[in-house]
Amino acid sequence: MLPDCLSAEGELRCRRLLAGATARLRARPASAAVLVPLCSVRGVPALLYTLRSSRLTGRHKGDVSFPGGKCDPADQDVVHTALRETQEELGLAVPEEHVWGLLRPVYDPQKATVVPVLAGVGPLDPQSLRPNSEEVDEVFALPLAHLLQTQNQGYTHFCQRGHFHYTLPVFLHGPHRVWGLTAVITEFALQLLAPGTYQLRLAGLSWPGAEGLAHPQQPLVSPCQASSTSGLNKGL
């Protein structure tokens, strides 16, 4: 059964679990931060995602992501980076007191540290947001219940120089496929929000950030082969 993630008790539990890591990570420099917005869409707990603009440059244009970006010298810390970027991308102002805490960092292809910031943004209609069209093509929410269904979970194998290198999670059957670092961060959030409900599907496999960041410096490379519970080979 899906726990009541949006209850006061659920929020307090998450804040307590994240308190130690949050204090440590806020004191450390990082390259970038993203906001992981936990919202309620018509009363249903969900995570809010963006589809990066196809007009952007770089290999991640058109990908699903959380709002966020590079840390600015004027930012006080990674929390302020995530909140500032969310305001710039989505026009969504999230008060700092709505931040529950920081999840485990992940690492981009250039081995730069990206810190996920979990926040409760309350009831929300994604269609009411007015995103910056230069950065975002679409905003959408995926219910936690959808993300927790095993038929919507899979994995992608990545290769380097033609050989198996590591594996990352992927979430399927929504408006857009969630994969890469965004899927890793989604997995971190689900482990926190739905303990005992979400099971780590990649136990025993290697991916950046797994098992206490056992492989913290492995960058993402191109997928060489994919397998999943349903249809993950398509479109890779």
Side-chain angles (χ1 to χ4, degrees):
M1 180 180 296
L2 179 65
D4 188 358
C5 307
L6 301 180
S7 69
E9 293 78 9
E11 177 179 346
L12 181 59
R13 180 188 64 83
C14 291
R15 285 181 179 269
R16 285 175 172 170
L17 288 172
L18 295 175
T22 297
R24 291 192 301 272
L25 292 169
R26 290 193 75 162
R28 297 177 185 174
S31 301
V34 297
L35 193 75
V36 183
L38 176 62
C39 60
S40 170
V41 180
R42 293 184 293 276
V44 175
L47 294 179
L48 189 70
Y49 296 88
T50 71
L51 186 69
R52 289 170 59 85
S53 173
S54 57
R55 295 180 293 278
L56 292 171
T57 58
R59 63 194 299 267
H60 295 300
K61 63 181 181 180
D63 282 355
V64 170
S65 68
F66 289 113
K70 293 181 179 179
C71 295
D72 189 278
D75 293 334
Q76 181 178 335
D77 56 23
V78 290
V79 169
H80 287 85
T81 297
L83 298 181
R84 174 183 56 77
E85 287 283 343
T86 300
Q87 172 87 60
E88 293 175 1
E89 291 182 18
L90 303 182
L92 178 62
V94 181
E96 185 175 347
E97 57 267 25
H98 288 192
V99 171
W100 291 14
L102 276 55
L103 303 174
R104 284 183 286 173
V106 294
Y107 299 85
D108 74 2
Q110 288 71 47
K111 303 181 182 180
T113 306
V114 181
V115 179
V117 178
L118 179 67
V121 300
L124 189 67
D125 176 7
Q127 303 306 313
S128 70
L129 296 174
R130 295 294 178 263
N132 182 344
S133 60
E134 295 298 316
E135 299 187 63
V136 176
D137 276 348
E138 185 180 338
V139 184
F140 65 97
L142 288 178
L144 296 188
H146 171 94
L147 294 166
L148 289 168
Q149 291 175 359
T150 55
Q151 63 265 34
N152 297 328
Q153 302 164 5
Y155 54 87
T156 305
H157 294 313
F158 286 80
C159 285
Q160 192 171 57
R161 293 184 291 274
H163 298 285
F164 172 77
H165 193 45
Y166 58 85
T167 302
L168 292 178
V170 62
F171 295 89
L172 307 163
H173 306 139
H176 306 281
R177 181 185 60 181
V178 180
W179 74 305
L181 294 186
T182 303
V184 174
I185 296 170
T186 297
E187 185 158 79
F188 288 169
L190 293 176
Q191 287 178 282
L192 174 73
L193 296 169
T197 302
Y198 182 76
Q199 301 298 322
L200 182 65
R201 293 177 57 81
L202 303 183
L205 297 176
S206 170
W207 50 280
E211 302 301 327
L213 299 178
H215 307 280
Q217 299 302 322
Q218 291 181 338
L220 287 176
V221 292
S222 299
C224 60
Q225 184 180 4
S227 57
S228 171
T229 51
S230 57
L232 186 54
N233 287 328
K234 297 178 182 178
L236 289 179

